[in-house]
């Protein structure tokens, strides 16, 4: 398995089509942001989209960005759009992407990394701790997790 950054791939259209195959509403939103060239406008100029690949198959993806669905929070960076395709679930492949994003954020000088989610019990196994509740861009409650970058 290999991790590549979407904006640095030569075959972006192919990987964009793979993201579009996501069966998750947020995955479709990310697809639209990337397709229309508005991802960096929405998430921040330093946005990275990480793709975990098994040859030409997309296993999982996530973003590392200045913003996420919790807007104007003063927090960041954010790991967002965390998704694993159904046939790859149950193997904790997302750990590879979370670790990769962690190392990038560390190189960038981040003190904490945040994740906004409705899930309980998912990110704790990757050393993230519940931080607070905040409202997302739709006005819904979102659990904010964070990890200290050491």
């Amino acid at each position: 398995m290999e991790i590549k950054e979407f904006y640095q791939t030569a075959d972006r259209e192919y990987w964009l089509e793979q993201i579009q195959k996501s069966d998750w509403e947020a995955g479709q939103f990310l697809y639209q942001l990337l397709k229309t060239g508005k991802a960096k406008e929405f998430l921040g100029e330093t946005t990275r989209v990480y793709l975990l690949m098994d040859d030409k198959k997309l296993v999982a993806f996530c973003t590392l960005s200045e913003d996420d669905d919790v807007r104007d929070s003063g927090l960041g960076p954010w790991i967002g759009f965390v998704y694993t395709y159904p046939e790859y679930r149950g193997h904790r492949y997302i750990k590879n992407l979370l670790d990769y994003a962690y190392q990038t954020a560390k190189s960038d000088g981040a003190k904490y990394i945040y994740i906004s989610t409705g899930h309980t019990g998912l990110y704790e196994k990757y050393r993230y701790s519940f931080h607070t509740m905040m409202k997302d861009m739709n006005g819904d409650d979102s659990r904010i997790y964070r990890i200290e970058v050491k």
Side-chain angles (χ1 to χ4, degrees):
M1 299 231 184
E2 176 183 14
I3 296 174
K4 287 191 179 178
E5 205 285 316
F6 173 79
Y7 290 109
Q8 295 177 358
T9 61
D11 46 357
R12 279 191 221 156
E13 282 301 315
Y14 174 80
W15 295 111
L16 190 58
E17 288 173 16
Q18 301 312 302
I19 292 169
Q20 185 182 22
K21 293 178 183 177
S22 159
D23 62 356
W24 179 44
E25 184 179 332
Q28 293 304 308
F29 183 55
L30 177 61
Y31 165 77
Q32 286 299 321
L33 288 172
L34 292 168
K35 180 85 173 159
T36 60
K38 295 188 177 188
K40 291 188 176 192
E41 179 182 322
F42 183 79
L43 297 168
E45 285 303 313
T46 64
T47 296
R48 298 164 178 109
V49 181
Y50 297 124
L51 310 172
L52 179 61
M53 307 167 177
D54 183 10
D55 193 29
K56 291 297 270 180
K57 288 192 163 210
L58 188 54
V59 174
F61 58 82
C62 75
T63 60
L64 179 65
S65 58
E66 299 157 46
D67 286 308
D68 197 56
D69 66 341
V70 174
R71 310 302 287 171
D72 304 319
S73 66
L75 304 176
W78 294 87
I79 291 177
F81 297 95
V82 180
Y83 181 80
T84 302
Y85 286 85
E87 61 269 29
Y88 293 100
R89 292 181 186 154
H91 302 284
R92 295 192 178 186
Y93 289 127
I94 201 65
K95 181 182 184 318
N96 300 335
L97 287 174
L98 294 175
D99 289 348
Y100 196 87
Y102 178 96
Q103 290 303 321
T104 303
K106 183 177 181 178
S107 294
D108 290 348
K111 293 190 188 310
Y112 292 95
I113 303 169
Y114 298 87
I115 297 177
S116 168
T117 184
H119 294 285
T120 302
L122 176 60
Y123 295 104
E124 291 88 341
K125 60 187 157 199
Y126 302 110
R127 301 182 347 256
Y128 284 78
S129 322
F130 177 75
H131 177 60
T132 191
M133 294 291 290
M134 297 180 88
K135 297 286 185 189
D136 68 15
M137 65 187 196
N138 298 318
D140 297 326
D141 287 333
S142 184
R143 297 178 61 80
I144 307 303
Y145 287 84
R146 76 177 185 179
I147 190 171
E148 185 175 5
V149 180
K150 299 178 182 179

